[in-house]
Amino acid sequence: MLLFMTELKEKYRDYTDVYGKIAREEKSGSIISVTRGIYETDSCVDGKYLARYICGPSYLSFEYALRVYDLIPEGVYTFTSATFHKGKRKYCENAFGNFSYRDVPDAAYPWGYRLERCGEYSCQIATAEKALCDKLYIMPPVRSIRDIRYTLYESLRIEEDDFFSLSMDDILKFCPLYRSNNLTYLAKYIKKEVAP
């Protein structure tokens, strides 16, 4: 169960040294630090349920989500999340894993993610289409349709059949929100390959 500093202060309000009590609880392992002022009582909780509390608002995306949807073959050992208006990348490492955060454009941020629940926990994760657009946004710029094909099938190692099993309509809705060469060429590639 997630616990916030305000809750812990209330719980231990009768102690002379509230912060000392919290430090002792952390040292004993009954609470585990997630990030400053946020603790977890269950050492086995999946880190994906903690990502949005470390840096928010955010949703899981990029490599992590692409791997969840089996679009990329590599294992992913970092909970990668999209944010907006943070201005710089953020990294965090704790007992639950490694977490990284990168901005996407404000116009693109609110679309294409869903809430996933498990008991008292929940996480927000991009759809496969949105995770792909987010990932392409942060990659080096391409200059042609040929380049975007190479990026999809060689750099990211997405299978062509898997790519075309995605919702092309959703991708085409997302692309203009990024104002990015990569997404412009992705839209051109889709329009060229998919009959109207």
Side-chain angles (χ1 to χ4, degrees):
M1 177 173 67
L2 273 169
L3 293 171
F4 296 86
M5 183 60 81
T6 51
E7 295 171 298
L8 290 171
K9 284 180 178 178
E10 177 62 24
K11 182 177 179 179
Y12 301 129
R13 68 182 181 276
D14 294 333
Y15 284 77
T16 307
D17 180 6
V18 172
Y19 292 103
K21 173 61 176 170
I22 292 169
R24 289 190 298 278
E25 291 296 306
E26 188 177 356
K27 190 173 181 181
S28 75
S30 62
I31 59 172
I32 305 146
S33 177
V34 174
T35 190
R36 186 175 179 172
I38 303 176
Y39 299 86
E40 173 58 49
T41 59
D42 181 357
S43 62
C44 297
V45 70
D46 191 324
K48 70 181 182 180
Y49 296 117
L50 305 175
R52 66 187 176 126
Y53 295 100
I54 294 169
C55 181
S58 64
Y59 59 85
L60 293 158
S61 189
F62 308 117
E63 297 89 343
Y64 178 82
L66 291 173
R67 185 66 196 116
V68 165
Y69 298 115
D70 289 323
L71 282 173
I72 58 173
E74 290 80 21
V76 175
Y77 305 102
T78 298
F79 298 100
T80 55
S81 295
T83 56
F84 72 100
H85 252 309
K86 300 296 180 199
K88 62 181 180 178
R89 296 172 72 170
K90 178 176 178 171
Y91 297 94
C92 175
E93 185 177 340
N94 61 34
F96 302 97
N98 299 317
F99 301 80
S100 75
Y101 301 83
R102 290 192 70 164
D103 277 355
V104 295
D106 294 5
Y109 180 86
W111 309 104
Y113 59 89
R114 61 185 174 79
L115 189 67
E116 182 181 302
R117 293 187 183 278
C118 179
E120 66 183 48
Y121 295 97
S122 66
C123 69
Q124 296 179 138
I125 185 166
T127 63
E129 295 80 6
K130 182 67 179 304
L132 177 61
C133 291
D134 286 348
K135 178 61 180 170
L136 289 171
Y137 172 72
I138 65 170
M139 292 182 76
V142 301
R143 293 184 173 84
S144 67
I145 290 176
R146 183 179 176 180
D147 287 351
I148 200 68
R149 281 181 52 85
Y150 183 88
T151 299
L152 289 170
Y153 306 132
E154 300 299 327
S155 298
L156 292 175
R157 296 178 28 182
I158 296 171
E159 295 291 331
E160 194 166 349
D161 288 346
D162 290 341
F163 172 72
F164 282 107
S165 73
L166 299 174
S167 168
M168 297 297 112
D169 287 343
D170 284 356
I171 293 174
L172 289 173
K173 285 177 193 169
F174 297 144
C175 283
L177 303 174
Y178 291 86
R179 298 186 181 203
S180 153
N181 259 14
N182 292 359
L183 281 302
T184 298
Y185 281 111
L186 179 65
K188 287 180 180 179
Y189 170 54
I190 291 169
K191 288 171 183 173
K192 178 173 180 272
E193 294 295 320
V194 179

